[in-house]
Amino acid sequence: FSAQEGILFFYHIKGLQYEMKICTDILQPISSLIFSPDYTVLLLVTDQGTVYTYKPAHSGEAVKLLDTSSSCFLAADFLTPGNKYCVSVTISGEVQVWLLEDGTCFSKLNLDTEVHVT
């Protein structure tokens, strides 16, 4: 992926040759990528606090799942087992559980402490 430009690339490597194609362009800097446990869904987390889902096997566009820019969103990951939920955390320490299908928030927990990435 291209972090600053928000572009997700696919590289098909065979021996010393490779083919590159653009999978999706979300137009926001990407801060992290996380694959689901079964590698069917990719979470794209942006610097602005938006989370997109992308299904590599379907070769479609990334779908906006969450837009938490107002709450200083910091990170997200899949809640295992399975691919049904993801969990996110804000800088202020709010942990949220989301339904991947439509972005419905199921649960929130405030840790009452500021969170940092190391």
Side-chain angles (χ1 to χ4, degrees), residues 21-95:
K21 76 173 191 173
I22 295 176
C23 294
T24 192
D25 185 352
I26 59 173
L27 305 172
Q28 294 181 23
I30 299 170
S31 58
S32 63
L33 303 169
I34 303 103
F35 261 109
S36 63
D38 67 358
Y39 300 101
T40 60
V41 180
L42 184 64
L43 287 182
L44 306 169
V45 181
T46 72
D47 289 345
Q48 281 102 16
T50 308
V51 178
Y52 292 85
T53 58
Y54 180 76
K55 296 181 179 179
H58 296 104
S59 300
E61 289 294 314
V63 176
K64 186 187 289 187
L65 177 65
L66 314 172
D67 189 355
T68 58
S69 55
S70 63
S71 60
C72 300
F73 180 75
L74 188 62
D77 202 348
F78 287 90
L79 192 58
T80 56
N83 298 337
K84 194 171 181 179
Y85 304 97
C86 74
V87 63
S88 65
V89 65
T90 65
I91 291 171
S92 63
E94 184 174 80
V95 178

